[in-house]
Amino acid sequence: MKIKRIYTIIPFLIFFFNCSIMAQNSLHLTNSKEQELIIVSLSNDTKKASILLETYLDKAFDYPFKIQDSNIIDTNNSKIILQINGDKKNIDSDSFIIKSDEKNIYLIGNNEKTLRYAVYTLLETLGFRKYTARDNFIPKLKEITFPKNFNKTYKPSFEYRALFYPDCYDEEFRDWHKLDWHINDFGLWGHSFYKLVSAKEYFKSNPAFFALYESKRNSESLCMTNDTVVKIVSKKMKEIISQNPNAQFFSISQNDDVVYCECSKCKAQNEKHGGPQGSLYYFLNRIAVQFPKTKITTLAYLHTYRAPENIKIEPNIYTLFCPIEMNRGKAIEDAADNKGFLNIIHKWSTTTKNLYLWDYTVEFTNYLSPFPNLHTFSKNYKLYEQNKVKGLFVQGYADLPGDLYELRQYLLAKIIWDTNTDIDAVMDDFLTGFYGNASPFIKKYIELLIQNQQKSNRYLDIYTNPIESRNTFLSPEAMDQYDQLISQAEMVSKNEPAIAKRILKLRLALEYVYFEQSKFYGKDKHGMFADKNKEDEGKQLRNRVLNFSKSCNEFGIYELSEGGLSPDDYYQEWLAIEKNACNHLGEKHEVRFLTAPAEEYTGKGTYALTDGVRGYKNPAINWIGWYGKNPEIELSVKKLNFNTLKINTLNNQRHWIFIPKKINIYGFKNNRWKLITQLEKKDLIESSAVNIETWELKSNSFKNYDLLKIEVENLKELPVWRNRKNKKAMVMIDEIELYNQ
C-alpha cells in the first residue's frame, strides 16, 4: 500500500552537510523533457538493479527516467551510474559504495545483492520508505539533491543479519533493509540431533547411541563419544549438504531440552572441557574436520550456554550463542546483575572467531501482550558488536503479526545493519509515516509503556504474561492511560481507513490484556464475573471477545502464543471459562497456608482457593503452586453443614506440573489432627495434554470440625519421561469447594 502524506526527511538518513554548504556543494539533478537524468547500467549484472531504481524514481517524478548502457552514454546529461565493483579484495562481501563527482552519482556493489542495497539506500536518502512489505511511501520529487564529491563505503556492523518477523518473508523487504534469510541460508536449521539420528529408527535397537542421562538412556540427546554416532551423523550431513548446494550453513545442535550424555567417556570430556559443552565440541570437531569447506553451526543453549575450556574449536564451526534467560526490560549494561552475562559472552568472544548470537525480542507466551523492550535494542546490539559477535539471528513473531511488529522489525533492521543508528530519529520517522496524525499519541503510548516498566523495575521475561504485570506496567491505572491515548489516536484517524486499521491492531493488545486479567480477577473488581458483568450475564464482554477473535483473524493473527490457541479457540475457551464460576458453602471462608507456595505461583494468595472461580488451563490464572513440596492447607469451616469437598488440580507435564499422588483430609479436635478421609489416584500416565483433575472427597463427619487440614502428597520423584536435573514436581491447586450433597 502506498502511503499518501506530506513527508519530512529526517536527519538520520541525510548524510549531507548543513544547509548553507549544501546549496553550494550539492548536485541538483532534475529530470524533465529538456534535461533528462540518465540511469546507466554498465554491465549485464547491473540491469536488474537499474530497472529497480528506474521503477521507483518513475513513481516519484512526473517525467520517466531512461536507462542506457555503457555503449550509448549521453555525456551531456547527469547520470546515476550503477556498477559492480571489480576490486573485490578491497570491499567486504556485504558492503557497497555510494559516491559522486561534480556531475554524476555512482552506486557500486560487490555483487547484484549489494548493488540493490545501494539502490535502496539512495532511495531512502531521497525520502522513499518501505515500512512493511506492503506499506511504502513514495515522495513527489522535482529534483535529486546530492552532495558533490561524496564518497562513502557502507559496511554492516554484523556480517550476518537475519530477522524472523512477518515481512522478512518478503525478498524485497529484506533487500531494502539489507537482511539475510536463514530459511534459505541454512541447509539444516536449529535443533537438529533428532533429525540427524532418529530415535524412532535407532533407540530401541541401539540405545547406546543416545544420552545416558540420570542413569537411563534418553532419546532427547546423543552420546557425544560414540564412534558409530559420529559415522551416522557424518553420513547424514553428507546427504544434506549434497541436497542443499546453495546453503551457507548446516546446524548440528542439541534438541530443545537440557538432556546430555553422562556416560564415562562423555563425562571425562565434560570434566576436561568445563561442562556438558565440552563433549559437544569434542563431537563437533570430529565431524567438522570431515567437511572443512562447510560452515557448521551449533547452539550455545541451556546446558551448553558457556564456552568450553581447553579445546580448540575447528575454524568452520560457528557458535550461535543463545541468551534466552535474560531481563528484557533493561539494556544489558544497565542491569545490576549483568556481570555474569558479560563474563560469559566475553569468554565466547575469545574462544571462537565465529561467534553468532540468537536474540529473543518478543513475548512468546502472549504475542499480543505489550512488551516494552524497544529501548534496550540499541545498547544491546552495540554491546554484542563490542564483544565480537559477527552474526545475528533475531527472533520475533515469525510470520505472525504480533503487537507492534511493524515498528519492531523496522527498528531492528536499522540497528543490526548499523549499531550507531539514531534510534530515536528512526522511530519518530517511522511513527510519523506509518500512523500519520495519530503518531504523537502512539509515541506517547510507547513511551508510557516503557516509563511504567522502568518505574516498576519489573523483570521482563520472554515467557511472562499480562497477569504477572498487573501491579506494574499493566496495572488497571496504567491500562486506563493507554486506553485514553489509543482512543485519541482512533479519533484523529477515523477518516483515514488505512491508519485507523493500524490503530485497531494496537487496540487488540489492550483488549487482550483486559481479557486475560479479567479471568484472574474473577468475581472481584475488573473481573469477568464482577457485578457489572452479571447484569447482562456477561453478554457485552462476551461480544467483545468475539469481536477480538474476528479482528485477529482479519489481521492474520492465527495464534496468540508460540504453539498456542487460535483466535477462534480463544473465544471457545472464554465460553468454557464462563462456566468456571461456582457457588459453594466454603466461598470466601478463611484459608491458611501451612506450607508456603512457590513465590512465583502465589497468585491471589489464600483467597484464590475460595474466591468462587475455578482455574482453567493457564497456570497464571487462579492457580497456586508448590514446587517440590507437599502442600498443607488449613481451612476454617466453622461446623458448616457439608459432606463433600472438591479440590481442583492441574496437569501440565511439559512444565513439570503433575496430578498429586494422594490427598488426605484431617479434622482438628482435642488439640490434634485426626484423619477423616483420603483419596489416592492411579499411577501417572505420560501426557502432553493440559487438563484439570477434580478430586471429590466425601464424609459425613466434616461438619463436626471447625478446622480442616488438606494434605496433598506431591510426587517424590519425577517420572522418567520428564526427569531433568534440578527439576522437581509441582502441584497446582485451585478452588476448594464445599457442598452438602
Side-chain angles (χ1 to χ4, degrees):
M1 179 183 295
K2 181 178 176 182
I3 297 173
K4 297 179 180 179
R5 57 179 298 275
I6 298 173
Y7 199 86
T8 302
I9 299 176
I10 57 144
F12 89 97
L13 284 171
I14 302 176
F15 47 69
F16 307 146
F17 305 104
N18 62 56
C19 295
S20 60
I21 297 175
M22 189 168 68
Q24 300 175 10
N25 297 322
S26 295
L27 298 171
H28 295 275
L29 309 180
T30 59
N31 185 57
S32 62
K33 194 170 184 179
E34 296 78 22
Q35 187 175 359
E36 293 176 342
L37 177 59
I38 307 298
I39 298 172
V40 178
S41 174
L42 289 183
S43 67
N44 287 334
D45 291 339
T46 63
K47 284 184 177 179
K48 289 183 179 179
S50 299
I51 294 171
L52 179 67
L53 179 60
E54 179 202 29
T55 300
Y56 273 98
L57 290 178
D58 281 353
K59 294 175 182 177
F61 284 83
D62 293 332
Y63 191 74
F65 281 69
K66 287 185 178 180
I67 299 177
Q68 296 180 348
D69 61 33
S70 57
N71 296 322
I72 53 171
I73 296 179
D74 183 343
T75 56
N76 294 321
N77 292 6
S78 293
K79 309 165 199 66
I80 304 176
I81 301 169
L82 281 69
Q83 65 187 80
I84 300 295
N85 183 43
D87 185 14
K88 294 184 180 180
K89 291 183 179 179
N90 295 323
I91 187 170
D92 294 335
S93 61
D94 267 1
S95 299
F96 58 90
I97 297 169
I98 298 179
K99 66 179 184 179
S100 65
D101 52 25
E102 293 288 329
K103 189 175 184 180
N104 305 314
I105 298 172
Y106 300 83
L107 306 181
I108 306 169
N110 195 39
N111 48 48
E112 289 187 63
K113 183 175 78 169
T114 54
L115 185 57
R116 292 195 297 273
Y117 290 177
V119 167
Y120 289 134
T121 299
L122 176 64
L123 290 173
E124 284 217 339
T125 302
L126 301 178
F128 292 75
R129 295 292 182 271
K130 179 168 280 295
Y131 298 115
T132 72
R134 297 159 306 282
D135 302 307
N136 304 322
F137 174 73
I138 309 295
K140 298 304 291 182
L141 300 174
K142 296 294 184 183
E143 67 176 18
I144 291 175
T145 304
F146 198 89
K148 294 179 180 178
N149 302 312
F150 178 85
N151 192 327
K152 181 175 180 179
T153 298
Y154 293 78
K155 296 181 179 181
S157 295
F158 303 95
E159 69 181 24
Y160 189 81
R161 306 162 308 283
L163 288 185
F164 203 30
Y165 274 86
D167 292 309
C168 298
Y169 287 81
D170 180 81
E171 184 177 7
E172 186 177 1
F173 182 87
R174 293 198 304 271
D175 282 352
W176 186 292
H177 295 286
K178 309 174 190 68
L179 297 169
D180 296 296
W181 188 228
H182 72 287
I183 289 178
N184 294 336
D185 294 335
F186 278 76
L188 185 60
W189 166 252
H191 306 288
S192 63
F193 278 2
Y194 72 97
K195 300 175 186 176
L196 295 166
V197 183
S198 169
K200 185 177 180 180
E201 181 178 355
Y202 291 110
F203 189 65
K204 285 186 178 179
S205 59
N206 294 279
F209 290 177
F210 298 88
L212 182 68
Y213 181 80
E214 295 287 86
S215 303
K216 289 185 172 68
R217 292 290 172 180
N218 192 308
S219 63
E220 284 300 317
S221 191
L222 305 175
C223 177
M224 301 285 91
T225 55
N226 187 298
D227 293 340
T228 307
V229 171
V230 173
K231 291 177 182 177
I232 292 172
V233 172
S234 300
K235 181 181 178 181
K236 188 70 173 178
M237 284 293 294
K238 188 175 181 180
E239 293 174 4
I240 294 171
I241 292 169
S242 66
Q243 293 165 3
N244 298 273
N246 297 322
Q248 292 188 56
F249 305 100
F250 297 85
S251 176
I252 304 178
S253 298
Q254 68 205 58
N255 296 335
D256 194 2
D257 208 328
V258 293
V259 175
Y260 55 89
C261 191
E262 299 175 295
C263 74
S264 58
K265 289 184 178 180
C266 286
K267 187 176 180 180
Q269 290 294 330
N270 294 340
E271 291 175 352
K272 182 178 180 180
H273 301 302
Q277 66 273 27
S279 59
L280 172 65
Y281 282 90
Y282 169 80
F283 172 73
L284 292 171
N285 279 345
R286 295 180 66 187
I287 297 169
V289 294
Q290 301 177 56
F291 306 97
K293 295 182 179 180
T294 299
K295 295 178 181 179
I296 293 173
T297 65
T298 196
L299 302 176
Y301 178 68
L302 300 178
H303 56 279
T304 60
Y305 181 62
R306 295 176 181 272
E309 301 172 0
N310 308 313
I311 191 170
K312 183 179 179 181
I313 299 175
E314 289 295 322
N316 59 323
I317 294 176
Y318 287 66
T319 295
L320 193 49
F321 178 55
C322 306
I324 192 168
E325 295 178 355
M326 202 163 69
N327 183 0
R328 309 287 160 172
K330 289 185 177 181
I332 294 167
E333 64 180 19
D334 294 338
D337 56 351
N338 66 351
K339 187 175 181 181
F341 173 83
L342 292 173
N343 289 338
I344 291 170
I345 195 171
H346 177 70
K347 180 65 176 176
W348 272 116
S349 70
T350 59
T351 301
T352 177
K353 293 181 179 179
N354 302 318
L355 181 60
Y356 281 24
L357 187 139
W358 183 320
D359 200 14
Y360 307 83
T361 58
V362 300
E363 185 177 320
F364 292 95
T365 45
N366 297 277
Y367 285 153
L368 282 182
S369 185
F371 195 66
N373 64 333
L374 300 179
H375 59 294
T376 69
F377 292 162
S378 186
K379 283 187 177 181
N380 282 354
Y381 289 109
K382 284 181 181 178
L383 178 68
Y384 297 149
E385 183 182 21
Q386 292 164 5
N387 280 274
K388 302 179 182 178
V389 170
K390 290 185 176 180
L392 293 167
F393 170 70
V394 181
Q395 187 175 4
Y397 300 114
D399 62 338
L400 191 143
D403 183 49
L404 280 173
Y405 91 88
E406 304 94 341
L407 176 60
R408 289 178 181 279
Q409 66 184 13
Y410 194 89
L411 294 180
L412 286 165
K414 299 301 182 191
I415 294 170
I416 66 177
W417 170 260
D418 181 3
T419 58
N420 291 316
T421 295
D422 184 342
I423 198 64
D424 292 329
V426 174
M427 183 182 292
D428 286 346
D429 180 63
F430 179 91
L431 295 178
T432 300
F434 198 68
Y435 293 108
N437 292 331
S439 62
F441 304 109
I442 306 306
K443 181 179 181 181
K444 180 61 178 175
Y445 166 61
I446 294 169
E447 289 176 343
L448 193 58
L449 271 169
I450 293 171
Q451 289 168 10
N452 287 336
Q453 153 65 19
Q454 292 176 323
K455 184 178 179 180
S456 66
N457 200 26
R458 165 92 161 86
Y459 188 97
L460 201 62
D461 189 272
I462 61 173
Y463 296 114
T464 186
N465 60 71
I467 295 165
E468 292 180 28
S469 303
R470 68 189 181 278
N471 295 320
T472 57
F473 70 94
L474 294 180
S475 68
E477 295 75 20
M479 288 290 292
D480 285 343
Q481 293 176 311
Y482 308 146
D483 177 74
Q484 291 174 19
L485 289 167
I486 297 300
S487 294
Q488 289 174 293
E490 289 170 334
M491 181 64 66
V492 299
S493 62
K494 62 183 180 181
N495 295 323
E496 298 181 80
I499 293 176
K501 190 173 181 180
R502 294 171 191 155
I503 306 300
L504 172 61
K505 184 172 174 294
L506 292 178
R507 166 70 71 187
L508 294 181
L510 300 186
E511 288 287 88
Y512 180 76
V513 171
Y514 179 77
F515 299 149
E516 288 297 284
Q517 291 186 351
S518 71
K519 298 173 188 175
F520 174 84
Y521 288 118
K523 294 182 179 181
D524 301 323
K525 186 180 179 182
H526 310 300
M528 64 184 290
F529 303 111
D531 290 340
K532 65 178 182 179
N533 294 319
K534 284 182 180 179
E535 296 173 4
D536 65 350
E537 297 181 335
K539 182 178 179 180
Q540 185 175 344
L541 185 55
R542 187 182 311 120
N543 286 336
R544 277 177 63 180
V545 178
L546 178 60
N547 290 333
F548 166 83
S549 68
K550 289 179 178 178
S551 294
C552 286
N553 285 323
E554 290 172 5
F555 282 109
I557 303 169
Y558 59 84
E559 64 180 13
L560 301 179
S561 65
E562 190 176 42
L565 293 175
S566 70
D568 293 336
D569 288 339
Y570 186 81
Y571 176 66
Q572 292 301 319
E573 185 177 271
W574 181 272
L575 298 180
I577 294 172
E578 282 189 324
K579 301 174 183 177
N580 270 16
C582 56
N583 297 304
H584 60 87
L585 297 174
E587 192 172 343
K588 295 187 179 179
H589 272 245
E590 183 182 351
V591 174
R592 187 163 69 96
F593 294 143
L594 302 179
T595 306
E599 184 177 351
E600 63 271 34
Y601 294 107
T602 56
K604 288 185 282 190
T606 56
Y607 173 64
L609 299 182
T610 57
D611 65 349
V613 182
R614 301 184 186 102
Y616 198 62
K617 295 180 181 180
N618 185 344
I621 299 173
N622 287 321
W623 295 96
I624 309 296
W626 285 262
Y627 186 67
K629 294 180 179 179
N630 290 336
E632 291 189 5
I633 302 162
E634 184 180 275
L635 177 64
S636 175
V637 292
K638 299 179 180 177
K639 295 183 180 179
L640 280 175
N641 186 21
F642 72 102
N643 58 16
T644 302
L645 188 150
K646 293 182 180 180
I647 300 175
N648 301 297
T649 60
L650 184 65
N651 183 59
N652 185 343
Q653 296 179 13
R654 183 173 180 267
H655 294 97
W656 291 277
I657 302 168
F658 298 91
I659 300 298
K661 187 175 181 61
K662 184 194 298 184
I663 294 181
N664 300 320
I665 308 295
Y666 296 85
F668 191 71
K669 200 169 189 178
N670 298 325
N671 292 319
R672 67 185 184 91
W673 292 105
K674 179 182 178 182
L675 180 65
I676 301 173
T677 187
Q678 61 182 207
L679 186 60
E680 189 168 355
K681 293 292 183 179
K682 296 178 182 178
D683 292 339
L684 190 66
I685 298 173
E686 182 177 3
S687 173
S688 60
V690 178
N691 52 57
I692 297 163
E693 184 90 10
T694 299
W695 300 60
E696 186 172 303
L697 299 102
K698 289 181 172 288
S699 174
N700 289 322
S701 62
F702 285 150
K703 60 187 177 183
N704 298 328
Y705 299 91
D706 288 339
L707 291 177
L708 296 182
K709 182 171 69 172
I710 302 167
E711 185 179 82
V712 181
E713 187 175 320
N714 197 353
L715 299 185
K716 293 179 180 178
E717 295 182 357
L718 288 169
V720 63
W721 63 85
R722 289 302 290 157
N723 188 17
R724 301 292 184 270
K725 289 184 184 297
N726 303 316
K727 290 291 184 181
K728 298 176 182 178
M730 173 170 282
V731 169
M732 301 207 86
I733 299 173
D734 190 35
E735 198 69 8
I736 301 172
E737 305 170 37
L738 309 182
Y739 299 97
N740 191 21
Q741 296 179 342

